[in-house]
Amino acid sequence: MVFEKGLRGIPLSVELWLHYINFFITEFSSDNNSKDRIKKLYERALSATGLEFRSDKLWDSYIAWENMNGNLKAVTGIYERLIRTPTQLYSHHWDNYKRHINSHHPKEFLDIDTFLKLRSEILNKSSNYHIDDEDEVGLDEALQVGDSMELDAPPGMLATMGDEKEVKKVRVKYIESRETIFKQNEAEVSKRWTFEENIRRPYFHVKPLERGQLKNWREYLDEEISQGNHTRIVILFERCMIACALYEDFWMKYAKYLEQHSLDGVRSVYQRACDIHLPKKPYIHLAWAAFEERQDNYPLARKILMNIENNVPGLAMVCMRRISLERRSKNHEAAEDLFQSYLEKAVSNKTKTFFSIKYARYLQKVIGDTERARKVLNDALQMDNANEKVFLQLLDVEYQSQPIVEDRVMETFSRLLKSDVSLDFKVKVSQRRMEFLEDFGTCIQKISEAYDEHQKLVKEANVKKKRPDKEIIVEEPPDKKVKIDVCGPVSIPPAPIDHNMPPLPPVGPPPPDPHYGYAPWPSAAYGAPMQPNAYPGYPYPAYPSSYNYYGY
């Protein structure tokens, strides 16, 4: 029971399979059906780990056991599978296979049909030899071939046959027929040899892997996937997940590959990654939740997101994914409850501002309740009257209302310009106010007043940015600074001032025309004007560049 449990956990462990088999042989070899049970155990081991590049010990153990039982045909069958399998000791196995063929009579290690077919080919070729073929001259006499009836006799039943020469020909013919298979397998081994040699740590360890090791695994997986052998790809992924169990991009690569073959396999990969190895990694949980949502398994998707939120609280992307899941499932009541819960639990003004903006957008765009959206933003401004993002979102709410109420928009502009935001931001907002009045204003007097206020803000910004003419300080290199003696003061003569130096030119745009007109606003000096719908997005955490699979 312990062995079975261990093999379910690590089915790719060749050593554990060999320990289990040796234990089984020792304890149950005296049973009546022990050979069948041991053979089934060997076959289970080969199906689980026979394609592993370093599984040579298991193959050799199986061959040795069949040889001990005297089952040469079974040994031949194992070798037939082995010479088609890329392993580290492929050449060693080929040499042993040829030694096995040359050490026994063909009828002992070949089935009757294969032996008769090879023998017939040899005899037919010998009966049609040419005079100049020295190797075939006298073959009939050597084999003492009789009539045609004699060719179909079972092996070993001919009355007169040159058995030694015939056996040699059959062996050579059989080995030649397998030479092509060996060459193909050798080519497959050569494709993988460099990758296998670069695997320095095939076992699991908590220490991080070197970049070269990670790069080697990625390239090896890509190469194996390009070959298209699903079984070998899965085996290599499982090997990779032993050494790279703490790297979520490999788990996500594995799950993405399995989506084309087995949905249950994908779920198993995600479960192993999230529940065992990576309980606090958010991206793999988000990918799993997205997968379950694509399968319309909303309860499990909710559970996955709740688990990662409990393990790593305070992740904005997890919170928003939970809200988005409820919105996509048309469960708007649950989505609003989540928004309100996150607003209450917010530990900082920045977090509360983020959820307030998101909540306001949700209420206006999805629910269609502009009044509640406006209230959420006003509550946020009462807490933080200098938050530019909230002001911009409030302006966006007023812009998007149908129809636009000029007084509400102007009230928002006025409130913003009287707040504690930066002067540069006020200049940009003031220009946006003029654009709004040009597009939607109904009173020319308001436009003139807004223009005058804008010019005052521009002038104030220019004065603030202008440097004093006579206070230019040039920083000296550290090695040229005067060293101060701690024992007494040092008298440093003042630098002479050149009173004939011309003043610096004024900074900023020329003064505005005193008469009101539609001259271009000085937007070039303060950056391009903001578009009505422009809103700086909240900076989500950047996803790792090493993998581009987010779950959608």
Side-chain angles (χ1 to χ4, degrees):
M1 291 174 60
V2 175
F3 271 119
E4 290 289 346
K5 185 177 181 180
L7 290 171
R8 284 195 298 270
I10 42 175
L12 281 179
S13 176
V14 176
E15 289 78 7
L16 186 56
W17 278 109
L18 288 174
H19 280 298
Y20 187 21
I21 292 170
N22 291 333
F23 163 79
F24 205 91
I25 292 174
T26 303
E27 296 295 330
F28 303 105
S29 59
S30 59
D31 294 352
N32 295 330
N33 58 346
S34 61
K35 290 186 178 180
D36 293 337
R37 294 175 65 186
I38 294 172
K39 188 176 183 68
K40 290 180 180 179
L41 191 57
Y42 268 116
E43 291 296 332
R44 278 182 57 196
L46 288 181
S47 63
T49 189
L51 295 181
E52 221 269 21
F53 194 75
R54 293 177 173 85
S55 61
D56 304 281
K57 291 181 181 179
L58 179 61
W59 289 98
D60 287 338
S61 175
Y62 195 9
I63 292 171
W65 182 76
E66 291 288 9
N67 271 320
M68 183 181 64
N69 296 328
N71 195 350
L72 299 181
K73 293 180 180 179
V75 172
T76 303
I78 299 171
Y79 273 121
E80 285 293 305
R81 296 155 61 185
L82 182 53
I83 62 174
R84 291 174 168 83
T85 305
T87 61
Q88 188 176 23
L89 303 180
Y90 73 100
S91 181
H92 163 76
H93 299 313
W94 174 243
D95 293 338
N96 288 343
Y97 191 21
K98 290 190 293 183
R99 189 178 299 110
H100 166 72
I101 294 171
N102 292 324
S103 301
H104 302 91
H105 196 281
K107 68 181 181 181
E108 296 178 351
F109 63 83
L110 294 177
D111 58 85
I112 294 177
D113 294 336
T114 304
F115 176 63
L116 288 179
K117 181 180 178 181
L118 290 173
R119 182 172 176 273
S120 299
E121 291 176 0
I122 292 172
L123 296 179
N124 289 334
K125 181 179 179 182
S126 301
S127 62
N128 298 321
Y129 71 92
H130 298 283
I131 299 300
D132 56 350
D133 190 351
E134 296 181 358
D135 293 337
E136 299 295 335
V137 172
L139 183 60
D140 288 342
E141 292 78 2
L143 298 177
Q144 299 181 9
V145 178
D147 55 15
S148 59
M149 295 295 295
E150 211 171 24
L151 294 176
D152 297 330
M157 297 300 295
L158 295 178
T160 57
M161 65 176 290
D163 189 65
E164 183 179 353
K165 190 68 176 262
E166 180 183 349
V167 167
K168 180 179 178 181
K169 289 292 184 180
V170 171
R171 289 170 176 164
V172 172
K173 183 70 175 178
Y174 187 74
I175 292 175
E176 288 178 352
S177 66
R178 297 298 180 264
E179 189 79 29
T180 303
I181 299 174
F182 169 72
K183 293 296 183 183
Q184 294 174 352
N185 187 52
E186 188 176 36
E188 293 297 321
V189 171
S190 64
K191 295 177 183 178
R192 299 165 174 84
W193 191 267
T194 302
F195 297 115
E196 293 288 345
E197 287 295 310
N198 289 332
I199 298 176
R200 305 300 181 189
R201 199 176 80 187
Y203 52 87
F204 172 79
H205 202 286
V206 294
K207 292 183 179 179
L209 280 168
E210 297 85 356
R211 291 184 178 180
Q213 292 281 288
L214 297 175
K215 180 182 178 183
N216 182 71
W217 277 115
R218 293 189 182 98
E219 293 177 352
Y220 195 2
L221 289 169
D222 292 339
E223 174 65 24
E224 198 66 64
I225 291 173
S226 67
Q227 299 299 319
N229 189 327
H230 175 66
T231 305
R232 292 200 61 84
I233 294 171
V234 171
I235 292 293
L236 184 60
F237 264 117
E238 291 294 338
R239 290 178 58 197
C240 174
M241 299 328 301
I242 294 174
C244 306
L246 300 182
Y247 294 87
E248 57 184 336
D249 56 320
F250 286 100
W251 287 104
M252 296 172 74
K253 185 182 183 73
Y254 190 12
K256 186 177 181 180
Y257 168 77
L258 284 180
E259 282 191 23
Q260 309 169 9
H261 300 84
S262 172
L263 296 181
D264 291 336
V266 176
R267 188 171 289 111
S268 174
V269 168
Y270 278 130
Q271 187 174 8
R272 288 157 54 194
C274 296
D275 295 345
I276 300 175
H277 300 286
L278 307 171
K280 295 186 178 182
K281 295 287 187 177
Y283 301 112
I284 188 72
H285 286 78
L286 294 178
W288 187 13
F291 167 77
E292 297 298 346
E293 187 177 351
R294 290 197 298 270
Q295 312 308 317
D296 295 330
N297 193 350
Y298 291 100
L300 183 54
R302 292 188 183 97
K303 182 179 178 182
I304 295 166
L305 294 176
M306 289 178 63
N307 286 340
I308 184 61
E309 187 176 29
N310 292 332
N311 291 334
V312 189
L315 292 178
M317 56 182 169
V318 176
C319 299
M320 290 310 302
R321 179 63 71 87
R322 288 192 65 191
I323 293 171
S324 300
L325 174 63
E326 302 300 342
R327 175 180 56 80
R328 287 189 290 268
S329 61
K330 309 300 181 183
N331 193 355
H332 297 297
E333 183 178 354
E336 291 192 37
D337 291 341
L338 287 173
F339 267 123
Q340 294 173 3
S341 173
Y342 294 141
L343 284 172
E344 294 174 359
K345 296 178 182 178
V347 296
S348 64
N349 291 342
K350 183 178 181 181
T351 304
K352 193 166 186 177
T353 297
F354 168 74
F355 285 112
S356 297
I357 293 173
K358 291 289 186 180
Y359 192 19
R361 289 178 181 175
Y362 175 82
L363 290 172
Q364 185 184 33
K365 305 293 185 181
V366 180
I367 305 300
D369 194 340
T370 304
E371 188 62 33
R372 289 178 62 193
R374 188 181 293 115
K375 182 179 183 304
V376 169
L377 294 174
N378 286 326
D379 292 343
L381 286 176
Q382 290 179 2
M383 176 188 64
D384 185 5
N385 192 38
N387 196 300
E388 301 174 357
K389 295 180 180 178
V390 180
F391 274 118
L392 290 175
Q393 183 60 38
L394 187 58
L395 282 173
D396 184 71
V397 169
E398 302 299 348
Y399 264 85
Q400 298 297 326
S401 61
Q402 296 294 334
I404 293 179
V405 181
E406 181 183 354
D407 292 339
R408 282 187 177 277
V409 180
M410 293 301 296
E411 181 184 354
T412 304
F413 274 122
S414 177
R415 181 178 178 185
L416 195 160
L417 293 173
K418 293 177 182 179
S419 66
D420 299 330
V421 297
S422 64
L423 182 60
D424 290 339
F425 185 71
K426 287 183 179 180
V427 172
K428 296 176 183 178
V429 172
S430 176
Q431 180 156 339
R432 184 172 178 182
R433 180 178 64 174
M434 291 190 297
E435 292 176 358
F436 169 77
L437 290 173
E438 288 290 344
D439 294 337
F440 305 104
T442 57
C443 178
I444 190 65
Q445 181 64 28
K446 291 183 179 180
I447 300 177
S448 300
E449 292 175 357
Y451 180 79
D452 294 339
E453 293 181 11
H454 180 71
Q455 297 303 324
K456 291 179 181 179
L457 286 174
V458 171
K459 183 177 181 180
E460 184 180 353
N462 286 337
V463 171
K464 185 176 181 181
K465 291 182 179 181
K466 187 182 297 184
R467 293 180 300 176
D469 295 341
K470 298 182 179 181
E471 296 184 3
I472 301 177
I473 301 175
V474 180
E475 182 69 22
E476 293 184 353
D479 55 345
K480 292 186 177 181
K481 290 183 178 180
V482 179
K483 296 183 179 180
I484 300 177
D485 187 1
V486 296
C487 297
V490 178
S491 177
I492 304 175
I497 301 176
D498 186 2
H499 297 281
N500 297 324
M501 183 177 64
L504 294 175
V507 179
D513 189 353
H515 302 288
Y516 174 75
Y518 289 96
W521 295 321
S523 60
Y526 295 95
M530 299 178 66
Q531 298 300 322
N533 296 328
Y535 181 77
Y538 188 85
Y540 277 100
Y543 291 98
S545 59
S546 59
Y547 58 94
N548 54 8
Y549 176 67
Y550 181 50
Y552 285 118

